[in-house]
Amino acid sequence: MHDSRFSTGKSQSFYFPDDHLSMPSWFKGMVIIIAERGLWPADGLPVQCPSFCCSPGRTNCCCRRLLFSQPDFTGQKLQLQKAIKCYGHLYDFYPKYYCKMNFIEQYWGSMKLQFRAMGHITTMEEMEAKVVECLDDVSLLHIWSFILSFFLSIFL
Ligand SMILES: [Zn+2]
């Protein structure tokens, strides 16, 4: 993680300074970060709710939820995103666990449809050969149509 900036413009480093006596350059940890923000409650906070299941609507039930409800945390871009943009490239991160947005899943689905249409398979060798054959049978034009439809769904 890189330094954050509050709405007031004040900066907060998430790491101890390089010349820190006992933990040079170490991550400060959630408790210290929260305390530096003046948000640490007198009765403390658990690190996280059991099984990462916070009560809906709560923003101060645990350290994890409290930090991830801070505007500077939620608005922070990943270092990877910054690096990609710095080199003048475009990027597109797919929503996690939403396979329909990823065109490679459509390619895979098309392959599976052809595989099923080929009928019954009796050996592993036959299956491997048919998988390769089905992957090769999805035309490049078809793959490009997946990619194009994906980008059109974003921009239209
Ligand atoms: Zn929680």
Side-chain angles (χ1 to χ4, degrees):
M1 296 185 74
H2 51 86
D3 292 356
S4 190
R5 190 164 298 279
F6 302 130
S7 58
T8 60
K10 184 182 173 195
S11 177
Q12 181 186 33
S13 175
F14 298 139
Y15 299 89
F16 290 110
D18 296 341
D19 61 350
H20 192 272
L21 293 177
S22 58
M23 295 184 282
S25 307
W26 285 33
F27 185 68
K28 289 179 178 175
M30 292 192 288
V31 172
I32 293 174
I33 292 169
I34 292 169
E36 286 180 350
R37 292 165 177 250
L39 300 173
W40 189 254
D43 55 346
L45 279 176
V47 172
Q48 65 193 34
C49 289
S51 303
F52 296 98
C53 292
C54 299
S55 301
R58 295 270 322 260
T59 58
N60 61 354
C61 52
C62 60
C63 294
R64 191 179 70 85
R65 178 58 69 99
L66 180 62
L67 281 177
F68 284 95
S69 63
Q70 298 297 304
D72 58 312
F73 265 68
T74 56
Q76 192 177 76
K77 295 220 180 289
L78 299 172
Q79 286 184 325
L80 177 62
Q81 290 172 306
K82 286 186 171 185
I84 292 170
K85 195 172 183 178
C86 177
Y87 286 103
H89 297 287
L90 298 173
Y91 61 87
D92 184 34
F93 288 96
Y94 301 121
K96 291 178 183 172
Y97 312 113
Y98 193 69
C99 59
K100 289 182 179 178
M101 293 293 288
N102 190 337
F103 63 86
I104 198 74
E105 295 295 337
Q106 294 176 13
Y107 171 54
W108 185 244
S110 182
M111 175 270 175
K112 287 194 294 189
L113 181 67
Q114 289 185 32
F115 186 83
R116 278 192 224 118
M118 290 183 130
H120 191 68
I121 293 169
T122 55
T123 66
M124 287 296 287
E125 291 77 23
E126 187 182 2
M127 182 177 77
E128 186 176 333
K130 288 195 178 208
V131 165
V132 171
E133 183 182 338
C134 290
L135 284 169
D136 289 343
D137 280 351
V138 179
S139 72
L140 196 56
L141 184 64
H142 208 158
I143 294 169
W144 276 110
S145 74
F146 299 145
I147 296 169
L148 183 62
S149 67
F150 169 74
F151 283 109
L152 288 175
S153 70
I154 292 173
F155 296 115
L156 298 180

